[in-house]
Amino acid sequence: MRSRGPATRRSLFLALLIAWAGPAMAGEPVRIVTEEFPPYNYTLNGKVTGLATEVVQAVLDEMNVEGNIQSMPWARAYDTVLNSENVMIYSISRTEQRDKIFKWVGVIAPGDWYLFSLQGRNLNLRYLDEAKKYQTATVNEDVGEQFLVSKGFAIGKNLQSSNKYEFNYQKLKLGRVDLWVANGLVAAHLAREAGDDPAQVLAPAYHFTDLGSEGNHMAFGPKTSDAYVDRFRKALEAIKKKGIYDALQKKWL
């Protein structure tokens, strides 16, 4: 039997390496899913932009790969990543409930979560349980909704679930709910987009100290290999060492 020459062996090795590494090395665009979550990620003039989006793009540039970013309702994005291979999701908060079912790349932006009420309601809650007697607007399967459900709140009882954060801001303004669980930067951004002064409309009724405190992450689902995830993790670490990450934070915050 004739043995393979050095060139043939090198070609075979490269083919196996590309197959093992997946699209991020083979040159195919990496599929990425997200939601409308301004100013972290949102669609402007048909293109997804925002603080977190620019960090994700910087990671892709560091790896010299293309990304195909799709914005969709959060519950759909969440389900897509859990049931697909080599699909990234951002901006996602890391919680105890999610910790073991995702493969985490790292923090891409800060995050702070609140229960907001309207100014003048004087809903200063000392304990989270006090919110159970009020109606709270949530987004389907987002971290705020998941956290409140884990604490004994119930959709259809004291939680009103929507697909978009801007719907919830309008619900709060119109008095259809008493509270709105939201990221602080997102709440302020949506208020300004509606032509309002956040400080004149929104009042933080409760500040979560155990929700989203680590910030917003990039992550993959359980079907993605550890080696694939590690390449993105190393690229994120690289842009932080180079100062690119800090520069993007200063640009947006």
Side-chain angles (χ1 to χ4, degrees), residues 28-236:
E28 297 176 17
V30 179
R31 188 182 177 196
I32 303 167
V33 294
T34 188
E35 64 172 336
E36 297 298 303
F37 192 60
Y40 297 101
N41 21 276
Y42 63 101
T43 303
L44 181 65
N45 298 325
K47 183 179 179 181
V48 182
T49 185
L51 165 58
T53 303
E54 290 200 4
V55 174
V56 169
Q57 186 59 55
V59 169
L60 296 175
D61 292 344
E62 178 70 22
M63 298 171 65
N64 196 30
V65 298
E66 296 292 326
N68 178 16
I69 301 177
Q70 299 171 283
S71 180
M72 59 184 68
W74 182 252
R76 180 181 162 200
Y78 195 89
D79 183 68
T80 297
V81 171
L82 288 180
N83 293 287
S84 304
E85 183 181 5
N86 299 342
V87 179
M88 180 203 298
I89 189 170
Y90 79 100
S91 303
I92 182 169
S93 296
R94 187 171 184 171
T95 63
E96 183 178 355
Q97 179 180 354
R98 295 172 171 176
D99 193 57
K100 302 299 182 183
I101 59 175
F102 286 94
K103 295 185 178 182
W104 303 92
V105 175
V107 175
I108 57 174
D112 237 349
W113 286 77
Y114 298 84
L115 286 174
F116 288 102
S117 67
L118 289 178
Q119 285 284 358
R121 287 293 307 274
N122 297 317
L123 299 183
N124 297 314
L125 309 176
R126 292 184 301 166
Y127 307 103
L128 183 58
D129 276 356
E130 294 176 327
K132 289 181 178 177
K133 61 184 177 182
Y134 299 108
Q135 289 292 306
T136 298
T138 64
V139 165
N140 187 23
E141 288 296 342
D142 90 331
V143 67
E145 182 176 279
Q146 288 181 345
F147 184 83
L148 291 176
V149 168
S150 75
K151 297 299 181 182
F153 291 72
I155 298 169
K157 180 181 179 182
N158 46 23
L159 300 181
Q160 293 188 24
S161 186
S162 298
N163 283 329
K164 294 185 177 181
Y165 289 90
E166 54 264 40
F167 292 166
N168 291 338
Y169 178 64
Q170 293 302 321
K171 281 184 182 180
L172 185 68
K173 281 186 65 179
L174 294 171
R176 295 176 181 170
V177 293
D178 306 292
L179 298 165
W180 171 32
V181 59
N183 175 286
L185 285 177
V186 173
H189 181 95
L190 290 176
R192 286 191 290 268
E193 285 290 299
D196 300 327
D197 179 351
Q200 297 296 318
V201 178
L202 298 172
Y206 183 84
H207 180 211
F208 294 93
T209 58
D210 49 356
L211 172 61
S213 57
E214 285 189 5
N216 298 316
H217 290 68
M218 296 163 57
F220 289 87
K223 294 187 177 182
T224 301
S225 72
D226 292 343
Y228 190 85
V229 176
D230 193 53
R231 293 193 66 232
F232 289 84
R233 189 177 295 124
K234 288 177 178 176
L236 178 59

